[in-house]
Amino acid sequence: EAQVTQNPRYLITVTGKKLTVTCSQNMNHEYMSWYRQDPGLGLRQIYYSMNVEVTDKGDVPEGYKVSRKEKRNFPLILESPSPNQTSLYFCASSLTPSGGSYEQYFGPGTRLTVT
Amino acid sequence: SQELEQSPQSLIVQEGKNLTINCTSSKTLYGLYWYKQKYGEGLIFLMMLQKGGEEKSHEKITAKLDEKKQQSSLHITASQPSHAGIYLCGAGGNRDDKIIFGKGTRLHILP
């Protein structure tokens, strides 16, 4: 089954404790992306990756890191989480972005709470 | 930077009624997506439009991209409880590979 998986689905952590949210897709997609969704602000892109070893900042990259060592995986790293990073996070993948030519497949979401 | 504005922000309709959601871009659209999200869950792809004047339908949902490619509308005919959720429009840029989304329209269907 074609899918994007994220782990963990729910996470409560404390300020400053490093964490990683994993994302994996089994569709051999080149493009992968991380979003955060907040009430009143909608879905905002954090980072995206065009292919292995190619990553770039989205609209809200501060406080986040990513890596793309393999095509299927795109982990999101919070080196020192802060309460303003409490949010619902989505990973997505698509064949290529190409000016919006392909649909994105979304993971189920990770609800992160930083206290 | 490009922005997508959706209207209305929230919509409550009686089951069986028709409704329309709009998505307006501040710049020319090169690819416009419509997604549906159930509360707290992932996004489900509905349709993609690329050409000015293009119209696509899936079951009782029809989406159009206007000729000038700066606005899209999503129309639901004879709404059902299963249509309830958040509808988001998304767009890919032409000169970069960022993808942006509107803030969503929350749709409630009254039985």
Side-chain angles (χ1 to χ4, degrees), chain A residues 4-51:
Chain A
V4 178
T5 56
Q6 294 178 228
N7 282 293
R9 294 290 313 278
Y10 302 91
L11 180 59
I12 300 174
T13 189
V14 295
T15 299
K17 186 176 181 181
K18 181 180 178 179
L19 67 93
T20 299
V21 184
T22 63
C23 173
S24 182
Q25 50 94 3
N26 62 1
M27 295 166 279
N28 203 36
H29 283 168
E30 294 171 1
Y31 186 93
M32 296 187 74
S33 182
W34 276 103
Y35 298 89
R36 60 178 289 175
Q37 188 174 36
D38 302 287
L41 297 175
L43 204 62
R44 295 177 294 168
Q45 194 173 39
I46 303 171
Y47 267 96
Y48 61 94
S49 170
M50 294 284 288
N51 213 323

Side-chain angles (χ1 to χ4, degrees), chain B residues 28-65:
Chain B
T28 300
L29 292 163
Y30 291 93
L32 189 286
Y33 306 91
W34 283 101
Y35 288 87
K36 180 186 174 187
Q37 182 183 25
K38 291 194 175 178
Y39 302 112
E41 298 182 10
L43 280 68
I44 299 168
F45 173 78
L46 294 175
M47 274 170 277
M48 181 178 72
L49 304 165
Q50 285 186 283
K51 300 175 185 176
E54 187 174 10
E55 179 176 321
K56 288 188 177 179
S57 293
H58 175 69
E59 297 179 347
K60 294 185 178 180
I61 302 177
T62 300
K64 300 178 187 179
L65 184 61

Side-chain angles (χ1 to χ4, degrees), chain B residues 61-109:
Chain B
I61 302 177
T62 300
K64 300 178 187 179
L65 184 61
D66 80 352
E67 291 288 341
K68 295 181 180 177
K69 295 180 69 178
Q70 285 199 246
Q71 186 175 51
S72 178
S73 61
L74 184 86
H75 185 76
I76 298 178
T77 304
S79 58
Q80 301 169 351
S82 61
H83 289 130
I86 302 171
Y87 289 81
L88 295 104
C89 62
N94 181 40
R95 295 181 182 276
D96 59 41
D97 300 299
K98 291 183 181 179
I99 295 176
I100 61 170
F101 283 87
K103 292 183 180 179
T105 295
R106 197 174 286 260
L107 174 62
H108 302 273
I109 307 293

